[in-house]
Amino acid sequence: MSQVCPHALVIDPMVADLAGETARLVAGEPVERIDLLGVPAWTVTRHTLARQLLVDTRLVKDINAWSLWQNGVVTRQWPLIGMIDAGRSMFTVDGPEHRRLRIKTTQALTKRRLDALRPVVERLTAELLDDLEEAGRAGATVDLKSVFAYPLPMRVVSELMGVDRSDHAMLLDWYKAFFSLLTPQDERLRVIDELDAYFTTLVRKKTADPTDDLTSALVQATDGGEPLTEEEVVGNLKALVAAGHETTIGLILCAVRALLTNPEQLAQVSSGDVGWDVAVEETLRWDSPVTHLLMRFATEDITVEGMTIEKGEGVVMSYRAIGRDSSVHGPDADVFDVNRPTANRHITFGHGPHICPGAALARLEGGIALPALFARFPRLRLATPVEEIHNLPVLTQNDLAAFPVRLG
């Protein structure tokens, strides 16, 4: 691997101390040198600078603009490569081609389709709350993640995209292996191939026999230029499923953790004095489901905050640190507060052309799942000290290993 600046902040692949890492980023410079598993990059840690760079056309998603990739220093054996070299989709191209691919997705992911999903999310939430109640009978400790927060987003995104429920466990296992830094790289590359094959089969099935789902809508989208190729539909689907379930798992669990450890704020939300939508937004700001988003590449030298990002270098957005920016959210930005007037000013879902297309879906799920959970189990409580709830070794997501609770 390339030589990393000796003063670079090392991003911990085992996520042993996410709070400490975030504090170090917040205390540092707006743009910092970091070490990503031996690979040098820059990370952005401030709100205003992130907004500026996220619309800077000199930063692109195309991996071929990355000098370490061009010169062979970074190869397919780097554990994070699958998040960057992910095939052709709206997540990996820029400019007119990005607009073409994104327009097709936004045409398919319509408000009508999301509105139709609301009763589906409500039904799936109720089913999983029944499962949670059964698992937690007689005061038993139950893992809120595995029984509720983990399966719900996959069921929702699968309903949206026309994926069979019988495939859920397999997809969850594949994505878990893909994101975990404990997965051997050869196995991760095999999982990437399996995901490609799975979604290619799904796209071909929907091409031959379309139904009322997002996959069929992407295949059939013809307005606004050339239709999507099979590779482009597959690329969009892979990324949408990954982002659509992983971030929502984190949103639900981080919101529950924040509210259970701030009971006076939970009382405000449960009574209706503060809206659940506000609790969702404050969670997204304070405990972002995405910790570090990989990666954009400089097509020319860019000087910001007295630092020069050289042509060919990679730039990461550290959204968890960005959400703690005191210049935007006040001197207590590192405190969870549903009464914060700037709660909805976060950019956790990004900013500019590449803003997350699934943001509305994540908000829909969080806005249904959280009030339903606390309404069914008003005495919900942690079954272990909050300090014992640890993250999985996932560098890019705020992914908790387990979330033990008691229901009453």
Side-chain angles (χ1 to χ4, degrees):
M1 286 298 176
S2 61
Q3 184 177 359
V4 178
C5 169
H7 303 296
L9 190 151
V10 177
I11 302 300
D12 179 10
M14 296 298 105
V15 199
D17 182 16
L18 180 58
E21 179 179 277
T22 301
R24 289 189 291 276
L25 287 167
V26 170
E29 298 299 323
V31 57
E32 284 271 4
R33 273 287 196 183
I34 57 171
D35 172 355
L36 289 172
L37 303 182
V39 170
W42 294 93
T43 193
V44 179
T45 64
R46 300 294 192 276
H47 180 101
T48 300
L49 181 59
R51 285 174 61 93
Q52 173 188 330
L53 290 177
L54 286 168
V55 296
D56 193 321
T57 56
R58 297 172 296 175
L59 284 173
V60 300
K61 301 284 282 186
D62 183 0
I63 191 173
N64 293 304
W66 192 14
S67 59
L68 297 180
W69 178 255
Q70 291 174 334
N71 63 25
V73 172
V74 173
T75 70
R76 293 288 290 172
Q77 288 303 309
W78 188 51
L80 300 175
I81 196 62
M83 300 181 192
I84 304 171
D85 184 27
R88 183 175 173 79
S89 75
M90 65 179 174
F91 299 92
T92 59
V93 298
D94 301 278
E97 279 301 278
H98 170 258
R99 288 191 290 274
R100 182 180 74 84
L101 270 62
R102 187 180 177 95
I103 285 171
K104 303 297 185 187
T105 302
T106 54
Q107 286 173 348
L109 194 59
T110 60
K111 184 179 183 300
R112 178 194 66 80
R113 195 177 298 279
L114 284 176
D115 288 344
L117 263 183
R118 175 173 288 277
V120 174
V121 177
E122 291 171 344
R123 171 176 57 80
L124 295 173
T125 297
E127 290 175 2
L128 289 169
L129 290 175
D130 290 342
D131 294 344
L132 191 64
E133 184 170 10
E134 181 63 29
R137 286 193 184 281
T141 296
V142 56
D143 180 12
L144 185 68
K145 178 179 181 179
S146 63
V147 180
F148 182 68
Y150 191 53
L152 176 61
M154 181 58 78
R155 291 189 186 183
V156 172
V157 79
S158 295
E159 290 263 358
L160 176 66
M161 296 180 180
V163 172
D164 291 338
R165 183 174 287 199
S166 60
D167 294 337
H168 288 185
M170 177 179 65
L171 286 169
L172 285 168
D173 285 346
W174 280 344
Y175 277 109
K176 182 178 180 180
F178 172 78
F179 284 111
S180 174
L181 291 176
L182 296 180
T183 304
Q185 185 62 3
D186 288 346
E187 181 181 342
R188 192 188 330 275
L189 293 174
R190 177 183 57 77
V191 165
I192 291 171
D193 289 342
E194 288 174 334
L195 284 166
D196 284 339
Y198 177 85
F199 284 108
T200 297
T201 298
L202 176 64
V203 168
R204 290 175 181 174
K205 175 184 174 183
K206 297 298 182 179
T207 301
D209 186 18
T211 53
D212 186 19
D213 53 57
L214 182 62
T215 304
S216 300
L218 286 173
V219 168
Q220 296 174 316
T222 55
D223 293 342
E226 291 294 317
L228 299 180
T229 66
E230 180 179 271
E231 177 191 6
E232 290 166 345
V233 177
V234 169
N236 279 359
L237 286 176
K238 282 193 306 178
L240 284 168
V241 173
H245 85 277
E246 279 288 334
T247 54
T248 307
I249 295 167
L251 168 59
I252 292 170
L253 293 178
C254 290
V256 173
R257 176 170 60 179
L259 291 168
L260 290 181
T261 52
N262 291 275
E264 71 291 344
Q265 295 185 51
L266 173 57
Q268 286 183 285
V269 178
S270 297
S271 68
D273 290 341
V274 174
W276 281 101
D277 59 329
V278 177
V280 166
E281 298 305 324
E282 177 64 354
T283 301
L284 289 167
R285 177 201 73 82
W286 181 72
D287 207 4
S288 170
V290 177
T291 50
H292 308 288
L293 187 66
L294 315 185
M295 189 183 296
R296 286 170 168 78
F297 309 103
T299 57
E300 60 182 82
D301 290 357
I302 303 172
T303 300
V304 289
E305 301 290 336
M307 303 285 192
T308 298
I309 302 167
E310 295 182 1
K311 179 181 178 180
E313 291 189 317
V315 178
V316 173
M317 296 290 156
S318 288
Y319 281 115
R320 197 169 191 271
I322 290 167
R324 307 289 183 96
D325 188 342
S326 60
S327 69
V328 175
H329 301 293
D332 64 343
D334 61 344
V335 174
F336 178 82
D337 183 4
V338 295
N339 297 292
R340 186 180 306 280
T342 63
N344 65 352
R345 288 183 58 190
H346 66 83
I347 56 169
T348 291
F349 289 119
H351 175 69
H354 282 279
I355 192 169
C356 177
L361 177 59
R363 289 183 166 110
L364 174 67
E365 291 180 67
I368 291 172
L370 290 167
L373 171 68
F374 283 102
R376 175 79 77 93
F377 306 111
R379 297 173 59 199
L380 182 73
R381 65 190 191 278
L382 293 173
T384 188
V386 68
E387 297 81 11
E388 295 179 11
I389 297 176
H390 300 298
N391 281 70
L392 287 170
V394 176
L395 188 144
T396 52
Q397 266 80 247
N398 192 353
D399 195 352
L400 302 181
F403 201 97
V405 296
R406 291 193 177 92
L407 306 179

